[in-house]
Amino acid sequence: MPRRYQYWAALALALSLIRPETTWAAKGIPGSPAIINLYLNWQIKEEDLPALARWDMLVLDANQQARYPDRLRKLRQLNPSIKILAYIPSEEYATVHLTEPPEYPFAKLGARIREDWWLRDPQGNRVYFWPGQPMLDVSGASRGGEAWNAFLPRFVRDEILSSGLWDGVFLDNTFEKLSDHVKAPVDIDRDGRADAKDQTDRIWRLGMQDMLRKMRDMNPGAIIMGNGGGIYANQLNGVLYESFPSWSWAPNWKDLRDAISKNQAPSVTSINVNTNDADRPGDYRLMRYGLGSALTAGAMFSFDKGAWSHDELWWYEEYEMALGAPTGAAKIMAGASGQSVVPAVWGRSFQKGLALVNSTGATQRVQLPGVFEKLRGSQDQKTNDGALVTAVDIPAKDGLVLLRRSGPTEIRDAAFVNGSFLRVYDATGRQKQNGFFAQRTDAPSGAMILATDIDADGADDLLVGDKGKIEIKWGTGKTSSFQPFGKAYSGRLFLAAGQANRDRPKEIIVGRENKPPEVKVFSATGKELARWFAYNASFGGGVRVAIGDLEDSGLRQIVTGAGAGGGPHVKIWKTDGRPWGGGFFAFDASESGGISLASGDVDGDGKSEIVVGSGRGAVPRVRIYDGKGRLESEFAVSDKPLIGGIEVGISDVDEDGKPEILVGGLPAI
Amino acid sequence: MGRIEDTLRKKGLTGLVKHGSVVSLAPARALSSHARRVYREKYQNAYKYPRWIFAFDTLLVGIAAILLAFNLSVFLESYKRAESGLDLELKAPPLIAADETPLELDVRSTDGKRHDGVSLKWELPPWVEIIEAVPKMDADGFVDLGSIRPGETKSSRLLVRIRARAGTKAQIGFVLSQYDPLFFALDYPGSETRLVERSALNSSAVLSQANYPSEASVPVVVRNDGRLIARAVSLRLTKHEGAPDAGFGTTDSFSIGDMAPGERRLIYIKLGQEIGRSIALGWDLQDGAQTVESTELKIKTSASDGVRIENAVFGVDGKLKIDYTSALAAEVWVSCAATSSVSSPWRTFDIAQGSGTVVINETARQEGSACEIIPIDLQTNTLGRQVTAMKGNTIPFSASARYYGMSGDQLGVGSLPPRVGEKTTYWVIWSVGPSESDLQNAEMQTVLPSGVAPTGKFASATPGTFRIEGQTVIWDVPLLPLGGGEKLTFAFEIGIQPTETDAGRILELVGTSSFTAKTKNGLELKAETVGDDTNIHSDDLGRGRGMIVE
């Protein structure tokens, strides 16, 4: 191939590997609630960075670019998807900033504020909305020079966004009406008389619109968010509704939805729900009320103490729920009827769940459109009890986020015995959801099942290993089959699938039971690519197989485990059968009931771990090893010995981006 | 850029290949460059035939270098092969498979010197399982013995389980390593070969000298005479000349599962229709999928109607009553315990000529226990037709409706207690076993009460067919592999949606369930079990929450 074509081919391949990311997936959990933290503490502690990096969007004081530039960069390292906005008031200036080092943005800003920019009353005094922070005149009056509403966009461009540390700017107090916030008389035209409120409000609004237009023109591509002022929603990427609902839920929520529909893309309109400056992180009802309101409207969500203390790191388990994209608009599900925005139980469906908010003053019972599973939480265990529900009672001013019931069709990339009872754990041994019967009706009971995209065509294929034969039900509807160990073998097969070479389709790795421990690797077309004995060929206990990327190198390794009769010996191989690393005993060497195996990144470090399940007759437990055979963690799933042993698998059952550990073989009753 | 790199570039060699080539060729380039410089400075204009003299000198230098390397190599080899100064002694009792066997290797300093950093690696055949090691063995199999002073003896002791046939030669190898200042570590390998004398896990035919009738079963007793729990024990038929259908039901192997020390199991090899007057059987007994004993047995076949069992049943008093007819004096062989710890888990009873009844007190037997009865014609030493008597002709079979699983998993969905107008689902779980042998052609079924509807969801890891015919739910299972002592479950989901007239009542969820299956001898087993209602009596978490609420 001519060299110039090679470059184009390489570029095309590279582009094909780029996968679209969900816009707000900062936590690494696709489709989880979009959350924003108004973290206006003047300090950003080094030890708080990992916690802060969990939010999708942060609003930080603009001075942080001079105070902690490295910490801002570290936040991006910890969370490459995070959006960071610089906080700057649009209409006032805290004079305390004048004492700051001159390189601080607010000190620079203060040094450049002209006397005629201050908003004044008829007596010539400065006007205040917040103590210590005189207001500036947003009207656009130039008074012989550049107006404040023209200066600020230029300042943001030259002194803030030019630092390269920010994604945009958060403009505080983008009031719609000055008179709603300032009760004192105001003299905008400087004629020594108080101006009429209607006139003042109109001039203020026009001036603010002019400022936002200039801000957009001078800072293309930046996220521009305002605090308040739904009237400016079409000029902004987002409007913050602070202390939501500020007076009444229904009109507030309607304004919220309207603002989102008008926003420039991407919309970051958010609500801030707070405890009215009380230190009540455990007010889960209030948090859920706000989160339900945000999710049903399609807004981002913030929960903290309030306007006097926007600097909390409060974290809730609901933030980590992988709901996926919304599948429709919000609708009334109980408490009222019709389409009008009135207090009711509003619900919105997502690909993987349902968000509800009860904005009425009474508990409402809601019939759900199917079976949903409550969060199995540790914070508010009474509400998040992990129950499977088809109807729920939601107290007044409360919300609830539910996940759709996971089932056997959600098990991808992990082999399991069809019809077995499966439980789902995280890497620490915490059970994440109710166990369930994993019975696919499109395959026989007792068969080994593995659903994965073998041929890399974007559609899942189904591998069914039964009586010595592998049948592949392709996503295209076609079926093919082969017998990996020939016609003479009609026993149980152990399956794994992964990229064992450099082509795009996955390869199929197969072991068998109660026979010599021969591992075979097949292409998607059933062509044998490699075979070897993982243990002594005279050993007749069979071999378990798994495949993973144990060192995050992009190359996969095949992991084997000895079947019943041998010790719990794990070995690691290159995909062509050459030894890759040493072996180790996953359990006490005297346990000869065999082991089950899986490999995947269960701790989020980028490397696959080796997950091992204990064998026949042992107290069922799971151990997690790294690629070097070092024990990372372990947990028991029962305290009674199990005749048949357990089967482990790894699959992202809830599609939260973190694979779970599946444990089969446990009795349901 | 040098010429080598130019060449590599021209040949298109890049990356690691280029780097490797440059690294490996660089010393050669340096040496040849040095030789050319020496030639130019000291030979070119100093001799009449400088090239010949230079070549001769180079040859001499080369020979000297080879001699030096050779001598150095001989020295190092002899140094490495020098006596270790340590004496090793392997102590091991006669090797017995499937039992715990102690191995001890004593290491003693015999050269009057102190030996530091002594470690030992056992190299055992793959069928030797290490149960315990003192001192501990690391992940690579090394035992650290530390320093051994003059006259001191240190030992490495292993407790192993051997999984090999009697007569197998076990090469017990070891590598002794000790620290050496020149080489850091010197290895001294060695090995001894010992014979595996017998297996503690063994089997034999119980009635090996008898003549067998057509389609008889050959009882084989499997014994664990060792001190360890034998894991995953199985019997695999390797030879059945003269009996092409011989086997264990549908397969050639029979999985016994684990066997405790001292335990005995009776397994029956079903002969099927024989084709000759003699049959040659062979089977392997496996411990953890490794064969520890191979047995061969020749038996003769002969038809005999001299004695037969007319009927064998358990009476209501729990006693086993065997009705027989015998033309001559005979015996009945009875075994009621497939699992036992007594040396011979069977008994024989003399029976007189004519008809009669043998009564055996087996009241202690549990429901579902089976007794195998074989009449023996003593005149011809011919066996009669084998009969199985099942106590109650049943096996453990239960049905329970569950909302929660054993460990608290929520299986059902909906209100609990059920609520008028809302659907609540439960899982009905049929549980079969444990039993002492596999069963065939099993069928479980129940007719659901009106108002209870199957949702269509079902689950079982045992191959079978689930069917719904109206209100009847049926599960057909060709083979119930119960011989391993496991309990098998078959589950399906049902749902109720109570109406206003149900308020305050407890609703029946599942009525009587029936079970039928056949033993390997063709005996039909039947069982019935009571149903369950919304009070889900066997559900620890959901029990008692069955009254319908509005």
Side-chain angles (χ1 to χ4, degrees):
Chain A
M1 187 187 289
R3 180 160 294 181
R4 63 180 181 279
Y5 295 130
Q6 288 178 355
Y7 291 137
W8 286 113
L11 181 62
L13 178 63
L15 289 173
S16 71
L17 295 175
I18 297 172
R19 299 177 66 184
E21 292 286 334
T22 308
T23 308
W24 307 110
K27 298 178 287 295
I29 304 170
S32 56
I35 49 173
I36 177 172
N37 192 341
L38 312 169
Y39 196 76
L40 300 180
N41 195 318
W42 284 20
Q43 278 198 328
I44 301 177
K45 293 178 186 169
E46 182 82 33
E47 62 266 28
D48 288 339
L49 294 179
L52 274 171
R54 296 197 290 176
W55 267 267
D56 300 292
M57 182 178 279
L58 293 177
V59 175
L60 304 177
D61 188 281
N63 271 352
Q64 308 297 16
Q65 71 177 55
R67 197 179 283 131
Y68 301 119
D70 289 342
R71 294 181 188 180
L72 264 62
R73 293 187 190 98
K74 180 83 179 289
L75 283 169
R76 291 189 189 282
Q77 286 174 3
L78 292 168
N79 178 0
S81 304
I82 200 168
K83 304 293 177 196
I84 308 175
L85 305 186
Y87 168 90
I88 185 165
S90 65
E91 44 54 75
E92 65 187 6
Y93 180 79
T95 51
V96 69
H97 288 308
L98 292 169
T99 60
E100 290 172 343
E103 69 274 17
Y104 279 29
F106 280 125
K108 290 179 185 176
L109 180 66
R112 296 184 205 175
I113 290 177
R114 286 168 36 182
E115 269 303 304
D116 55 1
W117 288 348
W118 299 115
L119 189 67
R120 296 184 187 277
D121 64 12
Q123 288 73 43
N125 300 316
R126 293 178 187 175
V127 176
Y128 292 82
F129 161 65
W130 202 262
Q133 302 190 42
M135 293 186 75
L136 290 148
D137 182 2
V138 177
S139 71
S142 60
R143 301 187 182 99
E146 185 180 35
W148 163 252
N149 72 350
F151 169 78
L152 185 63
R154 189 164 58 80
F155 181 83
V156 166
R157 180 192 66 188
D158 297 342
E159 300 293 345
I160 295 180
L161 297 185
S162 62
S163 68
L165 295 169
W166 308 98
D167 295 291
V169 63
F170 177 91
L171 300 170
D172 200 6
N173 299 338
T174 46
F175 301 142
E176 285 183 29
K177 291 180 179 178
L178 182 63
S179 60
D180 284 348
H181 304 276
V182 178
K183 302 304 176 192
V186 172
D187 180 17
I188 284 188
D189 57 13
R190 301 287 166 88
D191 62 357
R193 290 179 296 182
D195 300 326
K197 286 184 178 176
D198 289 351
Q199 184 188 3
T200 310
D201 288 342
R202 188 178 64 82
I203 291 172
W204 182 272
R205 188 171 65 245
L206 291 172
M208 187 65 80
Q209 285 171 335
D210 192 33
M211 175 194 280
L212 296 176
R213 186 170 57 252
K214 289 185 171 85
M215 191 71 77
R216 177 71 63 195
D217 291 345
M218 288 189 192
N219 300 288
I223 295 171
I224 302 172
M225 188 173 187
N227 187 6
I231 198 168
Y232 313 121
N234 60 339
Q235 292 181 278
L236 296 165
N237 293 99
V239 177
L240 176 70
Y241 288 81
E242 196 175 7
S243 303
F244 179 92
S246 55
W247 71 97
S248 176
W249 186 89
N252 247 209
W253 189 77
K254 182 176 182 303
D255 285 355
L256 180 67
R257 291 208 308 177
D258 289 346
I260 292 167
S261 68
K262 293 173 185 169
N263 278 162
Q264 302 240 343
S267 172
V268 295
T269 286
S270 310
I271 61 170
N272 167 253
V273 177
N274 57 61
T275 55
N276 200 17
D277 296 305
D279 189 20
R280 293 204 314 268
D283 193 341
Y284 301 118
R285 184 206 58 77
L286 181 61
M287 188 282 299
R288 285 191 300 266
Y289 184 45
L291 182 62
S293 301
L295 286 170
T296 48
M300 298 186 76
F301 178 63
S302 153
F303 185 64
D304 58 21
K305 279 168 74 174
W308 286 92
S309 172
H310 283 308
D311 59 359
E312 273 70 48
L313 294 171
W314 298 350
W315 189 259
Y316 300 93
E317 289 160 338
E318 282 86 347
Y319 290 179
E320 299 179 31
M321 295 175 78
L323 291 169
T327 55
K331 61 181 181 182
I332 292 175
M333 299 188 69
S337 58
Q339 297 296 315
S340 305
V341 177
V342 292
V345 176
W346 286 82
R348 191 177 196 194
S349 285
F350 292 76
Q351 288 168 325
K352 299 283 293 177
L354 179 69
L356 299 166
V357 58
N358 178 8
S359 54
T360 72
T363 296
Q364 301 286 344
R365 184 156 185 85
V366 184
Q367 297 297 325
L368 305 173
V371 179
F372 289 85
E373 189 155 9
K374 285 185 176 179
L375 180 68
R376 190 178 284 262
S378 60
Q379 291 178 324
D380 185 356
Q381 295 179 14
K382 190 177 175 188
T383 301
N384 295 328
D385 59 2
L388 295 170
V389 288
T390 52
V392 286
D393 291 318
I394 304 186
K397 310 291 181 193
D398 202 342
L400 192 62
V401 189
L402 300 162
L403 290 171
R404 288 187 196 283
R405 167 72 156 146
S406 294
T409 53
E410 272 77 37
I411 304 171
R412 299 182 69 250
D413 306 318
F416 66 95
V417 178
N418 201 28
S420 58
F421 185 71
L422 293 185
R423 302 182 89 191
V424 182
Y425 297 87
D426 67 13
T428 65
R430 184 176 70 94
Q431 194 180 352
K432 289 194 73 174
Q433 62 177 68
N434 286 288
F436 58 91
F437 289 106
Q439 176 90 46
R440 286 188 71 125
T441 54
D442 50 357
S445 291
M448 194 62 79
I449 302 292
L450 175 56
T452 189
D453 184 7
I454 290 283
D455 53 2
D457 66 350
D460 271 357
D461 311 303
L462 187 67
L463 272 70
V464 180
D466 192 27
K467 296 174 183 167
K469 187 169 85 173
I470 294 177
E471 184 177 77
I472 309 176
K473 297 180 178 182
W474 299 101
T476 57
K478 293 181 180 173
T479 301
S480 63
S481 66
F482 63 99
Q483 289 177 283
F485 296 99
K487 291 180 181 173
Y489 181 72
S490 59
R492 202 172 168 206
L493 294 171
F494 303 118
L495 305 175
Q499 271 156 334
N501 54 27
R502 295 179 191 280
D503 61 11
R504 285 195 69 203
K506 290 177 181 172
E507 281 66 45
I508 302 163
I509 300 96
V510 194
R512 58 181 166 166
E513 188 178 49
N514 290 338
K515 288 286 178 181
E518 190 174 25
V519 178
K520 291 191 178 184
V521 180
F522 293 90
S523 72
T525 58
K527 181 186 172 192
E528 186 179 309
L529 302 176
R531 65 158 83 181
W532 69 94
F533 286 101
Y535 304 93
N536 193 299
S538 66
F539 171 62
V543 61
R544 301 293 191 119
V545 291
I547 184 169
D549 182 359
L550 300 178
E551 57 179 6
D552 193 21
S553 64
L555 298 174
R556 301 319 193 264
Q557 291 78 41
I558 289 174
V559 187
T560 61
H569 197 190
V570 175
K571 282 187 174 180
I572 307 170
W573 310 84
K574 293 181 180 178
T575 52
D576 59 3
R578 285 180 292 162
W580 182 82
F584 60 91
F585 284 104
F587 298 99
D588 191 277
S590 64
E591 290 189 25
S592 57
I595 51 175
S596 61
L597 275 180
S599 184
D601 181 15
V602 294
D603 63 3
D605 66 352
K607 300 174 187 174
S608 294
E609 283 73 44
I610 301 169
V611 176
V612 191
S614 57
R616 296 177 193 167
V619 172
R621 57 211 196 279
V622 174
R623 285 186 170 177
I624 302 167
Y625 290 89
D626 70 7
K628 292 186 167 58
R630 291 178 296 220
L631 182 64
E632 290 191 346
S633 61
E634 67 177 316
F635 58 90
V637 291
S638 173
D639 54 1
K640 292 175 186 162
L642 196 64
I643 292 175
I646 56 172
E647 300 277 344
V648 293
I650 297 175
S651 177
D652 186 6
V653 177
D654 56 9
E655 296 179 24
D656 65 352
K658 296 178 191 168
E660 287 80 38
I661 297 170
L662 308 179
V663 178
L666 295 165
I669 62 164
Chain B
M1 191 178 290
R3 279 185 297 162
I4 292 173
E5 288 173 50
D6 284 344
T7 308
L8 293 172
R9 196 174 56 166
K10 281 174 190 165
K11 289 187 175 180
L13 299 179
T14 56
L16 272 178
V17 174
K18 176 185 168 187
H19 179 71
S21 305
V22 171
V23 168
S24 61
L25 291 177
R29 289 173 60 202
L31 190 63
S32 63
S33 174
H34 179 71
R36 281 194 297 274
R37 196 173 72 242
V38 169
Y39 176 76
R40 280 195 302 271
E41 291 174 358
K42 298 189 176 174
Y43 287 80
Q44 198 164 31
N45 297 315
Y47 302 100
K48 186 177 181 180
Y49 301 107
R51 291 187 183 189
W52 286 105
I53 293 170
F54 179 72
F56 182 73
D57 286 356
T58 306
L59 186 65
L60 281 181
V61 170
I63 290 169
I66 290 167
L67 282 173
L68 181 66
F70 179 74
N71 286 331
L72 191 62
S73 160
V74 167
F75 166 74
L76 293 177
E77 277 304 306
S78 60
Y79 182 84
K80 285 170 75 174
R81 286 181 185 173
E83 289 296 320
S84 66
L86 294 168
D87 183 49
L88 274 72
E89 185 185 1
L90 174 68
K91 294 177 182 172
L95 301 185
I96 299 170
D99 198 3
E100 59 180 28
T101 305
L103 301 177
E104 181 177 329
L105 198 61
D106 295 338
V107 185
R108 187 168 54 249
S109 172
T110 55
D111 59 358
K113 295 178 184 171
R114 174 191 167 99
H115 295 262
D116 292 323
V118 179
S119 63
L120 183 72
K121 184 176 188 184
W122 290 84
E123 295 191 332
L124 301 171
W127 32 264
V128 175
E129 175 197 341
I130 298 171
I131 299 168
E132 194 178 331
V134 179
K136 289 259 181 220
M137 191 176 279
D138 68 14
D140 296 322
F142 279 98
V143 176
D144 183 20
L145 297 178
S147 298
I148 301 179
R149 291 189 295 274
E152 186 183 12
T153 300
K154 286 200 171 175
S155 303
S156 168
R157 297 183 188 88
L158 298 185
L159 206 55
V160 301
R161 182 206 308 251
I162 294 166
R163 289 189 172 100
R165 292 181 180 88
T168 304
K169 289 178 181 173
Q171 189 176 35
I172 300 170
F174 34 81
V175 179
L176 189 70
S177 299
Q178 63 173 312
Y179 172 78
D180 180 88
L182 184 60
F183 291 96
F184 299 107
L186 288 176
D187 295 342
Y188 301 94
S191 68
E192 277 195 37
T193 301
R194 301 283 177 101
L195 205 63
V196 178
E197 299 199 352
R198 62 185 174 85
S199 171
L201 187 69
N202 54 73
S203 64
S204 61
V206 175
L207 300 164
S208 58
Q209 303 300 317
N211 297 316
Y212 281 76
S214 178
E215 298 192 9
S217 292
V218 178
V220 172
V221 63
V222 179
R223 310 175 196 87
N224 181 5
D225 293 328
R227 287 157 289 182
L228 297 172
I229 296 173
R231 302 283 185 191
V233 178
S234 64
L235 212 62
R236 187 178 305 225
L237 201 59
T238 56
K239 186 179 183 183
H240 46 94
E241 291 170 8
D245 299 329
F248 303 93
T250 57
T251 62
D252 283 347
S253 65
F254 186 89
S255 175
I256 296 173
D258 294 348
M259 285 185 72
E263 188 176 332
R264 273 92 177 97
R265 292 277 187 110
L266 268 169
I267 310 299
Y268 297 87
I269 301 173
K270 196 170 182 180
L271 293 175
Q273 190 73 44
E274 81 279 8
I275 58 172
R277 287 194 52 80
S278 68
I279 295 172
L281 290 178
W283 63 85
D284 283 352
L285 181 62
Q286 296 191 320
D287 172 21
Q290 290 275 9
T291 300
V292 292
E293 187 196 60
S294 295
T295 306
E296 296 218 342
L297 173 70
K298 283 194 174 177
I299 54 176
K300 291 177 183 171
T301 60
S302 172
S304 170
D305 288 328
V307 58
R308 67 174 181 272
I309 304 300
E310 303 293 348
N311 196 16
V313 291
F314 277 91
V316 289
D317 56 0
K319 292 179 178 174
L320 174 62
K321 291 169 183 164
I322 304 167
D323 298 335
Y324 64 88
T325 303
S326 177
L328 296 164
E331 275 183 350
V332 281
W333 180 96
V334 179
S335 174
C336 290
T339 302
S340 174
S341 58
V342 299
S343 57
S344 299
W346 60 82
R347 285 177 286 171
T348 53
F349 300 87
D350 292 335
I351 53 175
Q353 184 181 3
S355 297
T357 300
V358 175
V359 179
I360 305 171
N361 189 352
E362 292 288 349
T363 49
R365 297 279 164 211
Q366 291 182 340
E367 283 285 303
S369 296
C371 291
E372 302 289 342
I373 303 144
I374 303 173
I376 306 171
D377 179 344
L378 292 174
Q379 297 298 315
T380 59
N381 196 24
T382 301
L383 307 186
R385 190 175 64 85
Q386 182 178 338
V387 171
T388 304
M390 183 78 71
K391 189 164 188 181
N393 278 14
T394 189
I395 66 165
F397 174 60
S398 66
S400 60
R402 302 291 293 242
Y403 190 86
Y404 294 101
M406 184 177 70
S407 301
D409 296 291
Q410 187 182 334
L411 307 176
V413 179
S415 290
L416 195 72
R419 187 188 289 253
V420 170
E422 289 185 15
K423 186 176 178 182
T424 298
T425 64
Y426 302 82
W427 280 81
V428 176
I429 299 173
W430 281 325
S431 174
V432 187
S435 175
E436 290 157 349
S437 61
D438 296 352
L439 299 177
Q440 299 163 3
N441 301 328
E443 183 184 278
M444 289 156 269
Q445 68 165 279
T446 189
V447 178
L448 296 174
S450 63
V452 178
T455 66
K457 290 184 182 174
F458 60 94
S460 178
T462 305
T465 307
F466 176 76
R467 287 182 287 140
I468 300 170
E469 294 175 358
Q471 284 296 93
T472 306
V473 177
I474 305 159
W475 210 306
D476 292 315
V477 186
L479 178 68
L480 275 174
L482 293 165
E486 289 188 67
K487 191 167 69 173
L488 301 178
T489 57
F490 301 85
F492 59 94
E493 193 184 47
I494 56 167
I496 57 167
Q497 188 158 351
T499 60
E500 286 182 4
T501 56
D502 295 325
R505 295 174 55 207
I506 291 166
L507 302 183
E508 186 182 27
L509 290 174
V510 59
T512 302
S513 298
S514 63
F515 170 89
T516 59
K518 287 188 173 177
T519 66
K520 59 185 182 297
N521 295 316
L523 181 74
E524 186 167 319
L525 301 183
K526 288 184 178 176
E528 279 191 353
T529 184
V530 295
D532 210 342
D533 56 37
T534 48
N535 266 337
I536 45 178
H537 301 84
S538 57
D539 190 325
D540 289 341
L541 289 173
R543 183 185 303 138
R545 294 156 67 184
M547 189 177 290
I548 311 300
V549 296
E550 294 199 65

